[in-house]
Amino acid sequence: MSIASKYDPSNTEAKWYEYWMEHKLFASKIDPNKEPYTIVIPPPNVTGVLHMGHMLNNTIQDVLIRRARMQGKNACWVPGTDHASIATETKVVQLLKEKGIEKKDLSREEFLKHAWEWKEKYGGIILEQLKKLGASCDWDRTAFTMDEGLSDAVISVFVDLYKKGKIYRGIRMVNWDPKGQTALSDDEVITKEIASKLYYINYQIEGSEGQYLTIATTRPETIMADVAICINPNDPRFTHLKGKKAIIPLINRAIPIIEDEYVDMEFGTGCLKVTPAHDINDYELGIKHKLEVIDILNDNGTLNEKAQILVGEDRFIARKKIAKLLEEVGQLEKVEDYKSNVGHSERTDAVIEPKLSLQWFLKMDEITKPAFSSVMEDLIQLHPPKFKNMYRVWMENVRDWCISRQLWWGHQIPAYHLPNGEFVVAKTKEEALKIAQTEYDSSYTLDDLKQDEDVLDTWFSSWLWPISVFDTDVFTTGKPNEELKYYYPTNDLVTAPEILFFWVARMIIAGYEYMGEKPFKNVYLTGIVRDKLGRKMSKSLGNSPDPLELIAQYGADGVRTGMLFSSPAGNDLPYDDKLVEQGRNFANKIWNAFRLVKGWEIDSNLGGAANTSSIHWFENRFNQALAEINDHFEKFRISDALMATYKLVWGDFCSWYLEMIKPEYQKPIDQATYNKTIEIFEDILKILHPFMPFISEEIWHQIQDRKVEDSLILAKWPEAKPFDSKITEEANQVFEVVSQVRNLRASKGMSPKEALDLTINTKRPELYQRFESVLVKLANLSSLNFAAKVENAMSFVVKADECFVPMGDSINVEEEKANLQKELEYTKGFLNSVMKKLSNERFVAGAPSQVVENEKKKQADAEAKIKALEESLAKLG
């Protein structure tokens, strides 16, 4: 078989993905003889296209699922998409506008017809893009949060929680999105620091000509909704105002001056205008003091008739106009620049308005308790654990969840309003009618029932995801089907920290409420992909590369490994094209190693004794690295697992092992060494496969023709065997000597082909004698000797061993002394950093014993090297 001189991903990726799909190698079915390993995808929005965050998240999921499959587990990765109420409705409204159609001119049914058409056309794009990345999902299981079964589950849960008294309807202060014209939960509000202004407004004291009270506010457009002015009872500046009233400028309405210690005497002027309809804290103050509530804003953020002036103006235009009007009547004292934290809608980016609104809420006080304790007690583990505290703070301060949204796209709330002002909750209109006839009026007909206009918050469907993708009936029957029993709880969830409460906590809540069991065992929280300037990658900033273009340029394997090279759990990934370039180079290195091995001529008559030590060393090194890689996987250090694999393949296998056993130019290799090398290569392909599925599968099949069931994707993950770390340490010492000889040659401008004599001053000559053939070959030595000193020689120190390379009369003693002195200073600095760690009591007490032992070994090695360097300098005078 001829092997291409260069690896071309475009020739292999589509081929192998089609092969895996055609033979259903991603599919999972119940198998009582196999341990299930399950991941449910964080369902991307149907509005989404592949971005760098998706790339990182789904690469990690695929690495985990492929490794589990190779470990013999029944790997099941469930894909799907989320209907994303606000995001999708916004897209559809925008699309209709471009066609000259306004949402308000359509009926609900007409609008939903357009929305479903949009979903069918664009909703699956991101899942198709994930296939380019190599995502090995069980695509037959693809789910959508508004599929019929999943929708029924959502409605069943609403009805169930309402019957349990956990869902209620009431007027509460909510976060209102004037652009989306819907309520939002606290978690859907992003706080941004923006440049604002602080307006100092003079309120005249009633009955006192020329006496004013100055109030500082960032929102002068809401003064028409003021119902009181509040002073701190302990503030001596305002004692004379107690019990009096103030006049609101421009509309001349008198409001009481009240007292409350809530007022911060240091902020602004020390007085507060109280506007309960437009500020959550003022609302609480209003309840406490039984104040009136005047709401002057329409749902779209314009002023209504209650404002009395500037009716119909947008709130931000009104702000500027009010300031000008106040200035004209002499009641604007001054304006200052001010930085303020302002809530924005996560979806539309509109500035949020606190608004009193009739909404549906889920009581969170009791239902959250099992979800709180399960994480605190590590029944569910967060990786990294630093997010545990964030979770604790959120859960300890949880508020009732506003679950209704003033939208049309989504799950319509199953509440039916009656002519008498009451409502009934039921799964269907027919069921609701029976309840209404029984409890209220037997003459009611279906026409008398009007379903609630609102839909449920998107997260109210996705919180059921780990359950509903396997069984949609369990929420009504209470009896899980066989699939749910087998696959639930799932194993690992990979997601972003910003939805730890949005989605993760709520899935845990639903898991305990409906299954009495956690929904997953581990939560791996990825970091954010950022550019070189530390900015989050986004389309709006134009700083995010197109993932599909990256795959086309660098190959999916190159992009996958590039994304993982520096992305430890919970830490942000500083993205640079050099990372994916390094990933592509890694793929090329593996391909070239394969070409090298397959290009050797084999002679079955040759004995392989010469390579025994090399093979023995690499087997130990492989098992040592495998133990390290497995440990990293167990601790969810995926990036570290990749780096350990990378060093093993690039460094130990390509740079050392293949060089050690490579036959001389145009000479054959013995059969035993070749067979062993192929066996080693196959083990390397196995540990590479989760990270680089395409090139590993390609080489696997090029090594020999294989049946479908023998594909690499189904191959057994290598078994960790005992290893002798002494052998690997000794080999590293020999490699260091080789590197130093090569460096010496390069520094003197000598040809690599020029053989050199090497003499070593060591107490352990047997170490070098064991690897003598390797040392002679890789360092190109004419002889290897052991002695205490050699005249007219260049020297270097490895561990405590002094090495000499005779240079005749060409040696420059002063230059040699300078080089040794430089190395001595470096080694002393290194020793100093090690000693700082070892003198830190917290480090010694808290670090794993193996880590402490490694530092002590570094200390001993550095001390021995320093001693040898000092002796070398002494010999040179």
Coordinates of all heavy atoms in Angstrom, one line a residue, residues 457-508:
D457 N -40.8 29.7 30.8 CA -39.4 30.0 30.6 C -38.7 28.8 29.9 O -39.0 27.6 30.2 CB -38.8 30.2 32.0 CG -37.3 30.5 32.0 OD1 -36.7 30.7 30.9 OD2 -36.7 30.4 33.1
T458 N -37.8 29.1 29.0 CA -37.1 28.0 28.3 C -36.5 27.0 29.2 O -36.5 25.8 29.0 CB -35.9 28.6 27.4 OG1 -36.5 29.5 26.4 CG2 -35.1 27.6 26.7
W459 N -35.9 27.5 30.3 CA -35.2 26.6 31.3 C -36.2 25.6 32.0 O -35.8 24.6 32.5 CB -34.4 27.4 32.3 CG -33.4 28.3 31.7 CD1 -33.5 29.7 31.6 CD2 -32.2 28.0 31.1 NE1 -32.4 30.2 30.9 CE2 -31.6 29.2 30.7 CE3 -31.5 26.7 31.0 CZ2 -30.3 29.2 30.0 CZ3 -30.2 26.8 30.4 CH2 -29.7 28.0 29.9
F460 N -37.5 25.9 31.9 CA -38.5 25.1 32.5 C -38.7 23.8 31.7 O -39.2 22.8 32.2 CB -39.8 25.8 32.7 CG -40.8 25.1 33.6 CD1 -40.7 25.4 35.0 CD2 -41.7 24.2 33.2 CE1 -41.6 24.8 35.9 CE2 -42.6 23.6 34.1 CZ -42.5 23.9 35.4
S461 N -38.2 23.8 30.5 CA -38.2 22.5 29.7 C -36.8 21.8 29.8 O -36.7 20.6 30.0 CB -38.6 22.8 28.3 OG -37.7 23.7 27.7
S462 N -35.7 22.6 29.7 CA -34.4 22.0 29.7 C -34.0 21.5 31.1 O -33.0 20.7 31.1 CB -33.4 23.0 29.1 OG -33.3 24.2 29.8
W463 N -34.7 21.9 32.1 CA -34.3 21.4 33.4 C -34.7 19.9 33.6 O -34.2 19.2 34.4 CB -34.9 22.2 34.6 CG -36.4 22.1 34.9 CD1 -37.4 21.9 34.0 CD2 -36.9 22.2 36.2 NE1 -38.6 21.9 34.7 CE2 -38.4 22.0 36.0 CE3 -36.5 22.4 37.5 CZ2 -39.2 22.1 37.1 CZ3 -37.3 22.5 38.6 CH2 -38.7 22.3 38.4
L464 N -35.6 19.4 32.6 CA -36.0 18.0 32.6 C -35.2 17.2 31.7 O -35.3 16.0 31.6 CB -37.5 17.9 32.2 CG -38.5 18.8 32.9 CD1 -39.9 18.7 32.3 CD2 -38.5 18.5 34.4
W465 N -34.2 17.8 31.0 CA -33.5 17.2 29.8 C -32.9 15.8 30.1 O -33.1 14.9 29.4 CB -32.4 18.2 29.4 CG -31.7 17.9 28.1 CD1 -30.4 17.6 28.1 CD2 -32.1 17.9 26.8 NE1 -30.0 17.4 26.7 CE2 -31.0 17.6 25.9 CE3 -33.4 18.2 26.2 CZ2 -31.2 17.6 24.5 CZ3 -33.5 18.1 24.8 CH2 -32.4 17.8 24.0
P466 N -32.1 15.6 31.2 CA -31.5 14.3 31.5 C -32.5 13.2 31.7 O -32.2 12.0 31.6 CB -30.7 14.5 32.7 CG -30.5 16.0 32.9 CD -31.8 16.6 32.3
I467 N -33.8 13.6 32.0 CA -34.8 12.6 32.2 C -35.7 12.4 31.0 O -35.9 11.3 30.4 CB -35.8 13.0 33.4 CG1 -35.0 13.3 34.7 CG2 -36.9 12.0 33.6 CD1 -35.8 13.9 35.8
S468 N -36.1 13.6 30.4 CA -37.1 13.5 29.3 C -36.5 13.0 28.0 O -37.3 12.5 27.2 CB -37.7 14.9 29.1 OG -36.7 15.9 28.8
V469 N -35.2 13.0 27.8 CA -34.6 12.5 26.6 C -34.7 10.9 26.6 O -34.6 10.3 25.5 CB -33.2 12.9 26.3 CG1 -33.1 14.4 26.0 CG2 -32.3 12.5 27.5
F470 N -35.0 10.3 27.8 CA -35.1 8.9 27.8 C -36.5 8.4 28.1 O -36.9 7.3 27.7 CB -34.2 8.3 29.0 CG -32.7 8.5 28.7 CD1 -32.0 9.4 29.5 CD2 -32.1 7.9 27.7 CE1 -30.6 9.6 29.3 CE2 -30.7 8.1 27.4 CZ -30.0 9.0 28.2
D471 N -37.3 9.3 28.8 CA -38.7 8.9 29.2 C -39.5 10.1 29.4 O -39.2 10.9 30.3 CB -38.6 8.0 30.5 CG -39.9 7.4 30.9 OD1 -40.9 7.7 30.2 OD2 -40.0 6.7 31.9
T472 N -40.5 10.3 28.6 CA -41.4 11.5 28.7 C -42.6 11.2 29.6 O -43.4 12.1 29.9 CB -41.8 12.0 27.3 OG1 -42.4 10.9 26.6 CG2 -40.6 12.5 26.6
D473 N -42.9 9.9 29.9 CA -44.1 9.5 30.6 C -43.9 9.5 32.1 O -44.9 9.4 32.8 CB -44.6 8.2 30.1 CG -45.1 8.2 28.6 OD1 -45.6 9.3 28.2 OD2 -44.9 7.2 27.9
V474 N -42.7 9.4 32.5 CA -42.4 9.2 34.0 C -43.0 10.3 34.8 O -43.3 10.1 36.0 CB -40.9 9.0 34.2 CG1 -40.1 10.3 33.9 CG2 -40.6 8.5 35.6
F475 N -43.2 11.5 34.3 CA -43.7 12.6 35.0 C -45.1 12.5 35.4 O -45.6 13.1 36.3 CB -43.4 13.9 34.3 CG -42.0 14.1 33.9 CD1 -41.5 13.9 32.6 CD2 -41.0 14.5 34.9 CE1 -40.2 14.1 32.3 CE2 -39.7 14.7 34.6 CZ -39.3 14.5 33.3
T476 N -45.8 11.6 34.6 CA -47.2 11.4 34.9 C -47.4 10.0 35.6 O -48.2 9.8 36.5 CB -48.1 11.4 33.7 OG1 -47.5 10.7 32.6 CG2 -48.3 12.8 33.2
T477 N -46.6 9.0 35.1 CA -46.8 7.6 35.7 C -46.0 7.4 37.0 O -46.4 6.6 37.8 CB -46.3 6.6 34.7 OG1 -44.9 6.7 34.5 CG2 -47.0 6.7 33.4
G478 N -44.9 8.2 37.1 CA -44.0 8.0 38.3 C -43.2 6.7 38.2 O -42.5 6.4 39.1
K479 N -43.4 6.0 37.1 CA -42.6 4.7 36.9 C -41.7 4.9 35.7 O -42.2 5.0 34.5 CB -43.6 3.6 36.6 CG -44.5 3.3 37.9 CD -45.5 2.2 37.5 CE -46.4 1.9 38.7 NZ -47.5 0.9 38.4
P480 N -40.4 4.9 35.9 CA -39.4 5.0 34.8 C -39.5 3.8 33.9 O -39.6 2.7 34.3 CB -38.1 5.1 35.5 CG -38.3 4.5 36.9 CD -39.7 4.8 37.2
N481 N -39.3 4.1 32.6 CA -39.2 3.0 31.6 C -37.8 2.3 31.7 O -37.0 2.8 32.5 CB -39.6 3.5 30.2 CG -38.5 4.5 29.7 OD1 -37.4 4.6 30.2 ND2 -38.9 5.2 28.6
E482 N -37.6 1.3 30.9 CA -36.3 0.6 31.0 C -35.1 1.4 30.6 O -34.1 1.3 31.2 CB -36.4 -0.7 30.1 CG -37.4 -1.8 30.6 CD -37.1 -2.1 32.0 OE1 -36.0 -2.5 32.4 OE2 -38.1 -2.1 32.9
E483 N -35.3 2.3 29.6 CA -34.2 3.2 29.2 C -33.8 4.1 30.3 O -32.6 4.2 30.6 CB -34.7 4.0 27.9 CG -34.7 3.2 26.7 CD -33.9 3.9 25.6 OE1 -33.9 5.2 25.5 OE2 -33.1 3.2 24.8
L484 N -34.8 4.7 30.9 CA -34.4 5.6 32.0 C -33.8 4.9 33.2 O -32.8 5.4 33.8 CB -35.7 6.4 32.5 CG -35.5 7.5 33.5 CD1 -34.6 8.6 32.9 CD2 -36.9 8.2 33.8
K485 N -34.3 3.7 33.5 CA -33.7 2.9 34.6 C -32.2 2.6 34.3 O -31.4 2.6 35.1 CB -34.4 1.6 34.8 CG -35.7 1.7 35.5 CD -36.3 0.3 35.6 CE -37.8 0.3 36.0 NZ -38.4 -1.0 35.9
Y486 N -31.9 2.4 33.0 CA -30.6 1.9 32.6 C -29.6 3.1 32.5 O -28.5 3.1 33.0 CB -30.6 1.2 31.2 CG -29.3 0.7 30.7 CD1 -28.7 -0.4 31.3 CD2 -28.7 1.3 29.6 CE1 -27.5 -0.9 30.8 CE2 -27.5 0.8 29.1 CZ -26.9 -0.3 29.7 OH -25.7 -0.7 29.3
Y487 N -30.0 4.2 31.8 CA -29.1 5.3 31.5 C -29.1 6.4 32.6 O -28.2 7.2 32.5 CB -29.5 5.9 30.2 CG -29.2 5.1 29.0 CD1 -30.2 4.5 28.2 CD2 -27.9 4.8 28.6 CE1 -30.0 3.8 27.1 CE2 -27.6 4.0 27.5 CZ -28.7 3.5 26.7 OH -28.4 2.7 25.6
Y488 N -30.0 6.4 33.5 CA -30.1 7.5 34.5 C -29.7 6.9 35.9 O -30.1 5.8 36.2 CB -31.5 8.0 34.6 CG -31.7 9.3 35.4 CD1 -31.6 10.5 34.9 CD2 -31.9 9.2 36.8 CE1 -31.8 11.7 35.7 CE2 -32.0 10.3 37.6 CZ -31.9 11.5 37.0 OH -32.1 12.7 37.8
P489 N -28.9 7.7 36.7 CA -28.4 9.0 36.4 C -27.3 8.9 35.3 O -26.5 7.9 35.2 CB -27.8 9.5 37.7 CG -27.5 8.2 38.5 CD -28.5 7.2 38.0
T490 N -27.1 10.0 34.6 CA -26.1 10.1 33.6 C -24.7 10.2 34.3 O -24.7 10.4 35.6 CB -26.3 11.3 32.6 OG1 -26.1 12.5 33.3 CG2 -27.7 11.2 32.0
N491 N -23.6 10.2 33.6 CA -22.3 10.2 34.3 C -21.8 11.6 34.4 O -21.6 12.2 35.5 CB -21.3 9.3 33.5 CG -21.7 7.9 33.6 OD1 -22.7 7.5 33.0 ND2 -21.0 7.1 34.4
D492 N -21.4 12.2 33.3 CA -20.7 13.5 33.3 C -21.5 14.5 32.5 O -22.0 14.2 31.4 CB -19.3 13.4 32.7 CG -18.5 12.3 33.5 OD1 -18.7 12.2 34.7 OD2 -17.8 11.6 32.8
L493 N -21.5 15.8 33.0 CA -22.1 16.9 32.3 C -21.0 17.9 32.0 O -20.2 18.2 32.9 CB -23.2 17.6 33.1 CG -23.8 18.8 32.4 CD1 -24.8 18.3 31.4 CD2 -24.5 19.7 33.5
V494 N -20.9 18.3 30.7 CA -19.8 19.3 30.4 C -20.6 20.6 30.0 O -21.4 20.6 29.0 CB -18.9 18.8 29.2 CG1 -17.9 19.8 28.9 CG2 -18.3 17.5 29.6
T495 N -20.3 21.7 30.7 CA -21.1 22.9 30.4 C -20.3 24.1 30.8 O -19.2 24.0 31.3 CB -22.5 22.9 31.0 OG1 -23.2 23.9 30.5 CG2 -22.4 22.9 32.5
A496 N -20.9 25.3 30.6 CA -20.2 26.6 31.0 C -20.6 27.0 32.3 O -21.7 26.9 32.7 CB -20.5 27.6 29.9
P497 N -19.7 27.7 33.1 CA -20.0 28.1 34.4 C -21.1 29.1 34.5 O -21.9 29.2 35.5 CB -18.7 28.8 34.9 CG -17.6 28.3 34.1 CD -18.3 27.9 32.7
E498 N -21.3 29.9 33.4 CA -22.4 30.9 33.5 C -23.8 30.3 33.5 O -24.7 31.1 33.8 CB -22.3 31.9 32.3 CG -22.3 31.3 30.9 CD -20.9 31.1 30.3 OE1 -20.0 30.9 31.1 OE2 -20.8 31.2 29.1
I499 N -23.9 29.0 33.2 CA -25.3 28.4 33.3 C -25.3 27.4 34.5 O -26.2 26.6 34.5 CB -25.8 27.8 32.0 CG1 -24.9 26.8 31.4 CG2 -26.1 28.9 31.0 CD1 -25.5 26.1 30.2
L500 N -24.4 27.6 35.4 CA -24.4 26.7 36.6 C -25.7 26.8 37.4 O -26.2 25.8 37.8 CB -23.2 27.1 37.5 CG -23.0 26.2 38.8 CD1 -22.8 24.8 38.5 CD2 -21.8 26.7 39.6
F501 N -26.3 28.0 37.5 CA -27.6 28.1 38.2 C -28.7 28.0 37.2 O -29.7 27.3 37.5 CB -27.6 29.4 39.0 CG -28.9 29.4 39.9 CD1 -28.9 28.6 41.0 CD2 -30.0 30.1 39.6 CE1 -30.0 28.5 41.9 CE2 -31.1 30.0 40.4 CZ -31.1 29.3 41.5
F502 N -28.6 28.7 36.1 CA -29.6 28.7 35.0 C -30.1 27.3 34.8 O -31.3 27.0 34.7 CB -29.0 29.1 33.7 CG -29.0 30.5 33.3 CD1 -27.9 31.1 32.8 CD2 -30.2 31.3 33.5 CE1 -27.9 32.4 32.5 CE2 -30.2 32.6 33.1 CZ -29.0 33.2 32.6
W503 N -29.2 26.4 34.6 CA -29.5 25.1 34.0 C -29.1 23.9 34.9 O -29.9 23.1 35.3 CB -28.9 24.9 32.6 CG -29.3 23.7 31.9 CD1 -30.6 23.2 31.7 CD2 -28.4 22.7 31.2 NE1 -30.6 22.0 31.0 CE2 -29.3 21.7 30.7 CE3 -27.1 22.7 31.0 CZ2 -28.8 20.7 30.0 CZ3 -26.5 21.6 30.3 CH2 -27.4 20.6 29.8
V504 N -27.8 23.9 35.3 CA -27.3 22.8 36.1 C -28.0 22.6 37.4 O -28.5 21.5 37.7 CB -25.7 23.0 36.4 CG1 -25.2 21.8 37.2 CG2 -25.0 23.2 35.1
A505 N -28.1 23.7 38.2 CA -28.8 23.6 39.5 C -30.3 23.1 39.3 O -30.8 22.3 40.1 CB -28.8 24.9 40.2
R506 N -30.9 23.7 38.3 CA -32.3 23.3 38.1 C -32.5 21.9 37.6 O -33.5 21.2 38.0 CB -32.9 24.3 37.0 CG -33.1 25.7 37.7 CD -33.5 26.7 36.6 NE -33.7 28.0 37.3 CZ -33.7 29.2 36.6 NH1 -33.6 29.1 35.3 NH2 -33.9 30.3 37.2
M507 N -31.6 21.4 36.8 CA -31.6 19.9 36.5 C -31.5 19.1 37.7 O -32.1 18.0 37.8 CB -30.5 19.6 35.5 CG -30.8 20.0 34.1 SD -29.6 19.3 32.9 CE -28.2 20.2 33.3
I508 N -30.6 19.5 38.6 CA -30.4 18.8 39.9 C -31.7 18.8 40.7 O -32.2 17.8 41.2 CB -29.3 19.3 40.7 CG1 -28.0 19.2 39.9 CG2 -29.1 18.5 42.0 CD1 -26.8 19.9 40.5

